[in-house]
Structures are given as structure tokens and as C-alpha cells.
Amino acid sequence: MPLVKVLVVDDSSLMRRLISRLLEEDKDIKVIGTAADGLEAIQQIKALRPDVVSMDVEMPKLDGIATLRRVMLECPVPVVMLSAHTHEGARATMEALSAGAVDFVPKPGKSAELPTMVADLKTKIKVAARVSLRRIGRPTPARPAARPVIKPAEPAPPLVSARKQPYCGKIDLVVIGCSTGGPAALQQIIPYLPANLPAGVVVVQHIPVGFSKSMAEHLDKKSAINVRHAEEGDEIKPGRVLVCPAGYDLNFKPRGNGATVTLSNFGQPLAPGGFRPSVDWVMKSAAEVYGCRAMGVLLTGMGKDGAQGMLAIRQQGGLTIAEHESTCVVYGMPKAAVDLGAAQKIVPLPQIAQEIQAVFY
């Protein structure tokens, strides 16, 4: 890939030096400048025109979130945030992702963890460098006061293929999977769902441990529908969104006509390239327990997680939707589902909430 030019923004001179040195150990990355606060960052972005900015959330003069908002207005550039691994840090990170950050990396608690953090940062910087600026920094929709009026969604290319199995006419569970760009994308879906949605919703977002609860709280504040961080034994019921806890696999356990959730991580490390929670894992469990009463929705993200799970839902006669390439921050996970023939509908992000509700109203 072409050399990625990076601006490193951090109020700690030590962190600026260490991050810059470790980043430049990668032959595909060139640190072209640093900044100690938000105001200096804006000046440097305008002067140096970096491909990607690495930015600390907590800074003097102008904090990371305020800086990010100005950057997106005055000199848009893909930004990867560095976030404190605290509850307040997680809340600020969700605000940053809402304001247009492409992704984030938790800051290490110990100096020995810095190389691991920078390795993650390198990967996310390279992904961010490929992001189209028109696909980031989307405005967050206002909290709906009442059920939105449903209009037919405009068709999106390519043409929708036929279902593999007959649809049984009732959806009781919607599983939404996403990765890079997901927190911002979810804010164009969940706040548009009515409080009386006649199905339960489960969100599977690839996110570091310690951040999924803040994401659930952030979505709940913006939404009419109830959003909560999933706990062992939670019931899947209409008008409730459960966010999978980071670091856990989530399964559905039948109960009457519905189900409850079970959480596990088996105390085992993930295999390379694996995720916990895994979209595939959750969607396959949904297909097994709910059959044709499940809907799978796959949003922006790198890799292929979710394609096999969505195929399982479709093969059971459930409904499946993939986000259209034109609105994806990273067209990886939806593309894998489309290539596999798992996606019945391919829909731009602003229309997905309508597509979900069209099943019921």
C-alpha cells in the first residue's frame, strides 16, 4: 500500500515520542508531525495534510472531541482516537465516534503494554487511510418522539436476489452485526426504531473489553427504544435492544416461544483473527433457536465475520440485509455476505431502519 502519512496528537511529550518511534517501525507508515493539543493539531492538519491523525481523547486547551468536531468541519481527515480505559474514557470515546472518528485504541495501563497498543494502532491507521471522507462524520439523528412514518425504501443496486427458503411471515429477533465504523452506523439505526418495535434486537459490535457498556448507554440516551448491556439470563422481548458484552460469546436459550441469552468466554484466548463476541456465533445461534423468525443485518466492518451466520439465517427462511458499499466505512463484512449469497437485500445505511420496520408496519 502507499506510504501512510500520520500526525500524532498527544499532550504527553513522552507518548508523542514513543508512539511516533513505534509507528515508524512499520515501513508503510511515516509520522510527518506531532501536536501537543487540539489547537496545534488543527494547525498541523491544515499545514501538513496527513492521511490519518492519531489523537488522544484527553488534551488541554481543546479536548479530543471538540478538536474532532472542528477537524470534521474545517479540514476533514480520518482520525483514530486513543482512549483512556476508564468509564469516563469510554463515554468520551463514544462521543468521539459519533463526531466522526473512524476507530479507537484503548491506551495501555502499563508501559509494557505500549507495543501491543501501537500494533493495534498501526492496523487501524492503515484501515483509516482507505476510508472515504464522505462516509465518516455523519450527523447523529435526533431521538424520535414517536413512531416514525414508514415509507418504502428506494431500491439499491445490485438487484435483490430471491430467498432460498419461504419466509414464515413473523420476525421475533433482529441481530445486527458490525465492526469498524459500527458505533456511528448504529446511531443511524437504533434511534430510529420505535419503543414498541414488535421484536427484540441484539447488537454485536467488535469493540475492546470495557467499552461495550458505554456504547449501550450512549445508544439508550439517543433512542426511544430501550437499550441495555446484555447480562446472563436477559430475556429477548419486543421493544428491547441488547448489546453483546465485549469479551463474551452470546447464545440464545429457548424459553417458551422466545429465548433468553447466555454469556460465556470459556476462559480461553481467542484464535488469531477471531472475535468475541462473534457475529457468526450469535447469528448461527439465532438461526438455530428462532429459525425463520430471525432477521440478520450486517453493517460496515473489516473482514468476513457474520457472512456464515447470515447465511444460516437465510437458509432457515429468515430475512437478511447487508449495508450497501456506498455507505460503508469499510466494505468488508457486508461484501463477504453478498459474495456468499447470504444477503437478500443490499441497502444504504439511512434506509436500513425503514427496512427493519417495514416487516412489522
Side-chain angles (χ1 to χ4, degrees):
M1 65 179 295
L3 193 67
V4 181
K5 298 177 292 182
V6 178
L7 176 70
V8 174
V9 184
D10 198 295
D11 63 330
S12 165
S13 59
L14 177 60
M15 287 295 289
R16 291 197 300 274
R17 290 196 302 271
L18 288 174
I19 292 173
S20 297
R21 178 174 61 79
L22 291 170
L23 285 178
E24 289 207 314
E25 290 178 356
D26 190 309
K27 61 181 178 59
D28 296 322
I29 295 176
K30 174 67 175 177
V31 176
I32 59 171
T34 63
D37 58 61
L39 295 177
E40 184 182 3
I42 293 170
Q43 295 172 351
Q44 291 284 63
I45 291 168
K46 292 178 178 179
L48 301 176
R49 299 293 178 183
D51 298 313
V52 180
V53 174
S54 162
M55 186 183 299
D56 191 10
V57 171
E58 299 176 3
M59 295 186 297
K61 297 184 181 178
L62 196 65
D63 65 33
I65 298 171
T67 301
L68 184 64
R69 291 189 175 121
R70 280 191 55 181
V71 166
M72 291 302 153
L73 286 173
E74 300 176 19
C75 45
V77 61
V79 177
V80 178
M81 305 298 294
L82 301 184
S83 172
H85 213 299
T86 62
H87 183 65
E88 286 301 317
R91 290 176 58 187
T93 299
M94 294 306 112
E95 291 289 344
L97 292 171
S98 300
V102 173
D103 211 330
F104 76 97
V105 175
K107 296 182 78 170
K110 302 176 182 178
S111 58
E113 299 170 352
L114 183 61
T116 301
M117 183 213 79
V118 175
D120 189 18
L121 181 59
K122 289 176 184 178
T123 299
K124 293 184 176 182
I125 281 173
K126 291 178 183 179
V127 171
R130 300 195 297 267
V131 169
S132 170
L133 286 175
R134 64 186 174 85
R135 300 179 191 175
I136 63 176
R138 306 183 185 100
T140 301
R143 179 181 178 126
R147 180 189 301 174
V149 176
I150 308 302
K151 298 179 180 179
E154 298 177 6
L159 294 176
V160 176
S161 58
R163 301 187 183 102
K164 290 191 175 183
Q165 298 291 336
Y167 166 48
C168 59
K170 178 177 173 59
I171 293 295
D172 289 325
L173 171 66
V174 180
V175 178
I176 303 175
C178 43
S179 185
T180 306
L186 289 168
Q187 292 181 71
Q188 294 203 51
I189 297 177
I190 305 302
Y192 281 147
L193 299 178
N196 60 348
L197 187 78
V201 181
V202 170
V203 170
V204 189
Q205 165 73 50
H206 296 164
I207 198 166
V209 173
F211 290 84
S212 52
K213 185 175 183 179
S214 289
M215 187 179 77
E217 292 171 349
H218 189 77
L219 287 170
D220 187 56
K221 290 179 181 177
K222 295 177 177 292
S223 305
I225 194 169
N226 175 251
V227 184
R228 57 182 288 171
H229 199 228
E231 297 180 0
E232 179 73 22
D234 272 345
E235 182 182 358
I236 301 297
K237 61 182 183 180
R240 172 188 282 179
V241 179
L242 296 179
V243 174
C244 292
Y248 287 86
D249 292 314
L250 184 146
N251 290 282
F252 300 101
K253 182 178 180 180
R255 175 185 286 180
N257 293 326
T260 58
V261 302
T262 62
L263 303 174
S264 59
N265 62 14
F266 309 111
Q268 298 294 324
L270 281 172
F275 301 98
R276 188 177 288 140
S278 160
V279 184
D280 275 331
W281 184 293
V282 178
M283 285 191 175
K284 286 178 181 179
S285 181
E288 180 180 345
V289 173
Y290 281 86
C292 64
R293 296 181 293 126
M295 175 188 288
V297 180
L298 206 51
L299 307 178
T300 174
M302 186 169 62
K304 299 181 179 180
D305 187 29
Q308 293 289 340
M310 181 175 277
L311 182 62
I313 289 176
R314 183 174 184 186
Q315 288 173 336
Q316 290 294 321
L319 303 180
T320 57
I321 300 172
E323 183 181 352
H324 193 271
E325 180 180 9
S326 63
T327 58
C328 283
V329 171
V330 179
Y331 187 54
M333 289 160 55
K335 181 180 187 300
V338 172
D339 291 346
L340 194 61
Q344 293 165 280
K345 291 189 176 183
I346 305 161
V347 182
L349 179 62
Q351 297 178 14
I352 290 178
Q354 290 181 347
E355 286 289 338
I356 293 172
Q357 294 177 81
V359 174
F360 308 105
Y361 305 120

